[in-house]
Amino acid sequence: MSSSLQCIDCAQQYPVERVIYACESCGGTLDVAHDFTSTPAKITRALFDDRLGALDSPYSSGVWRFKELVYPDIDDGQIVTRGEGNTNLYQLPRIAAYVGVDALLLKHEGENPTGSFKDRGMTSGVTHARRLGMERVACASTGNTSASMASYAALAGMQGIIFLQNTAIALGKLAQGIAYGGTCLQINADFDRNMTLVRQVAERLGIYVLNSINPFRLEGQKTIMFEALQQLRWQVPDWIVVPGGNLGNSSAFGKALLEMHQIGLIDRLPRLAIVQAEGANPLYRHFAGGFRDFQPVKAETIATAIKIGDPVNLRKAIRALEWTGGVVEQVSDQLIMDAKAIVDSVGIGCEPASACSVAGTRKLVERGIIKRGDSVLGVLTGHVLKDPQATIGYHADDLPGIAPKLRNPMLSAEDDLEQIVALLA
Ligand code: F0G
C-alpha cells in the first residue's frame, strides 16, 4: 500500500479503506498521503509528457495522466472517468490589459465534461467510492459539485443524493443534477448548514460523502496544477489566482505544488492568491486578522457557487498560503460581474464565481501586490452556461445593486425588413 489517510494536524495515519473525514484523535482534516518512492514508475516530467495525446483510458484523461500522483495503486478497471481535464490555457491580451499585467493566462476548468473543475475531483472520489463498494453517495452543494457527482454516480451505477439550498442555485446546475438522475433534496438551509446535515445523515445511513472534506476529491483536483504546469513546459508562473469558497481547490493546489516541487517536477513554488466575494469572505477576514480567532460569516453574493461562510478546508487552505507565500483578496459583486463580462466578451465566457480570478488579479495589481511584469495564471472554474440568469440579468441591467459597465443590450424589432435594416445600418 503506497497511500494512507493522514491528519494534517497531528499526523495520525489511517488505512484508505476507512470511511472517515476527520481525525479520530484530534478532529483535524485528512490528507491522502502517498509514498511516491514505492511507485513502480519513476516520476519524471517525461513519464507524463509521453502520455500526452494518449487515445485510451485512463491516460487520455487529464486527471489519470498523472495517476502516480493521484491514486497510484488503483486498478485501471476500477476507474470511473469521463476523460476529464485536458482544458485550455488561454492567453488573452484584452483581459491582461483589463487586469493590468503583461502576461495573463487563464486555465478554463469550465471545459470539463459537466462544465466545472469538480469533475477532476469527482473522478477520483467516485473511483474510491467504487473501490469501497459504496452504493450511495451524497454531497451538499451550491450546484457544481452536485452536477458533477450526479453524473459520475450515474456512470458508476450509484445513487447520488444532493443537498441543495432551496434558493440561490444557478439554473444550469440544478437542471444537470435532475437530468443525471440525482436525488435532489431542496432544503430550507444555506450551504454551510447543509454541509453539516449531509455529514450527519450520511453517518446515520451509511452514505459516502463526496464534498471536498473527502480527501480523495482533492487528489483529483491537484491535476489542475499538474496539467497547467505541464502546458507551461514545467516553467512556473509567479502567481496562481483562484476563487475560494469551501477552499477545496486552494487546498488541492497547495498540495499539488508542494508535491511537484518535492519530486523535482518544478524548481520553485508560485505564490497562491485566493479570491473571495466580499459577502462571503471568511478566509479574507481571517488572513487580514493574522489568522487569529476564525469567525464564520453569513454568506451573500451574486456568485452563488461561492456563497459559503464556513469553509471545511480552512486549515488546508491556510497551509497552502503558508507554503506558497500566498495572499487572500476580496472583490465586490460589481467587480465580479464586470470581470465576467470581460471574460465573456472575448468569446470565452465563465460563470460569476470564476470571474473572481480576473477581478482579484485586477485588484491585487491595483494594490501593488501583483506587479505588471509578473506572470499570472488564473483559473476559471465554471462554464458560462451554468448561470444564465446572472448573464442575462447583467446585460438587461436587471440585477439589484449592480450597475453594468459592459452591457451588450438586446435589440428587438418587428417583422419588418426596413426596420431591421435601419437598425443595423
Ligand atoms: N468556482 C465555482 C464555479 C464553484 O462551483 C466553486 C465551488 C468554487 C469556485 C469554489 O471552490 O469550494 O474549492 O473553494 N462550488 C462548490 C459546489 C462549493 O458545491 O459546487 P472551492
Side-chain angles (χ1 to χ4, degrees), residues 8 29 31 212 218-219 221-222 242-243 246-258 272 274 312-321 323:
I8 72 160
T29 38
D31 268 339
S212 54
L218 300 192
E219 289 308 294
Q221 287 173 214
K222 289 189 313 191
V242 63
N246 221 8
L247 303 177
N249 241 3
S250 322
S251 302
F253 289 10
K255 187 167 188 277
L257 293 166
L258 193 76
L272 189 64
I274 304 174
V312 297
N313 291 298
L314 179 74
R315 285 272 306 114
K316 285 186 180 175
I318 295 172
R319 183 179 73 165
L321 290 166
W323 286 338

Side-chain angles (χ1 to χ4, degrees), residues 202-243:
E203 177 150 7
R204 290 266 284 274
L205 299 179
I207 301 169
Y208 192 52
V209 177
L210 279 174
N211 279 100
S212 54
I213 190 86
N214 183 322
F216 283 89
R217 276 272 315 277
L218 300 192
E219 289 308 294
Q221 287 173 214
K222 289 189 313 191
T223 64
I224 301 172
M225 286 298 103
F226 299 155
E227 192 176 277
L229 268 296
Q230 185 176 39
Q231 285 167 308
L232 291 173
R233 278 76 168 169
W234 309 102
Q235 300 306 304
V236 181
D238 296 314
W239 291 92
I240 304 285
V241 187
V242 63

Side-chain angles (χ1 to χ4, degrees), residues 47-319:
L47 176 71
F48 304 125
D49 290 348
D50 286 348
R51 292 176 185 161
L52 284 171
L55 295 175
D56 296 319
S57 193
Y59 295 140
S60 53
S61 154
V63 171
W64 298 102
R65 178 158 78 247
F66 304 99
K67 184 181 170 190
E68 287 77 5
L69 301 176
V70 172
Y71 201 153
D73 57 3
I74 192 77
D75 287 340
D76 287 355
Q78 294 238 33
I79 293 175
V80 184
T81 175
R82 289 190 59 188
E84 42 301 295
N86 298 312
T87 58
N88 280 299
L89 194 56
Y90 292 101
Q91 186 151 21
L92 300 158
R94 271 153 68 193
I95 304 182
Y98 174 76
V99 302
V101 296
D102 297 331
L104 175 74
L105 292 160
L106 291 174
K107 184 150 178 69
H108 206 326
E109 288 299 302
E111 296 174 348
N112 272 288
T114 75
S116 83
F117 70 93
K118 305 287 180 178
D119 295 341
R120 293 194 188 250
M122 217 44 85
T123 183
S124 51
V126 172
T127 293
H128 189 61
R130 176 187 269 178
R131 178 174 173 183
L132 295 173
M134 293 292 167
E135 288 172 359
R136 302 214 283 171
V137 293
C139 67
S141 183
T142 58
N144 280 324
T145 301
S146 54
S148 183
M149 186 191 74
S151 168
Y152 283 79
L155 267 183
M158 298 172 193
Q159 183 189 5
I161 303 167
I162 297 169
F163 287 49
L164 297 169
Q165 186 174 12
N166 55 359
T167 55
I169 173 166
L171 274 188
K173 307 175 188 182
L174 181 60
Q176 285 179 294
I178 297 168
Y180 297 138
T183 304
C184 300
L185 200 58
Q186 290 206 293
I187 300 173
N188 188 20
D190 66 10
F191 172 85
D192 298 298
R193 172 72 185 140
N194 276 332
M195 193 62 241
T196 305
L197 283 171
V198 76
R199 289 179 71 174
Q200 290 171 339
V201 172
E203 177 150 7
R204 290 266 284 274
L205 299 179
I207 301 169
Y208 192 52
V209 177
L210 279 174
N211 279 100
S212 54
I213 190 86
N214 183 322
F216 283 89
R217 276 272 315 277
L218 300 192
E219 289 308 294
Q221 287 173 214
K222 289 189 313 191
T223 64
I224 301 172
M225 286 298 103
F226 299 155
E227 192 176 277
L229 268 296
Q230 185 176 39
Q231 285 167 308
L232 291 173
R233 278 76 168 169
W234 309 102
Q235 300 306 304
V236 181
D238 296 314
W239 291 92
I240 304 285
V241 187
V242 63
N246 221 8
L247 303 177
N249 241 3
S250 322
S251 302
F253 289 10
K255 187 167 188 277
L257 293 166
L258 193 76
E259 287 173 353
M260 272 191 282
H261 192 233
Q262 283 170 346
I263 294 167
L265 295 172
I266 55 174
D267 57 12
R268 66 184 176 103
L269 292 176
R271 296 180 72 184
L272 189 64
I274 304 174
V275 184
Q276 298 203 294
E278 275 177 11
N281 63 355
L283 181 69
Y284 173 80
R285 288 171 185 238
H286 196 38
F287 173 76
F291 293 132
R292 285 179 297 273
D293 186 29
F294 176 75
Q295 294 293 334
V297 305
K298 187 88 192 145
E300 194 49 71
T301 167
I302 192 161
T304 52
I306 51 172
K307 191 167 157 286
I308 296 172
D310 192 8
V312 297
N313 291 298
L314 179 74
R315 285 272 306 114
K316 285 186 180 175
I318 295 172
R319 183 179 73 165

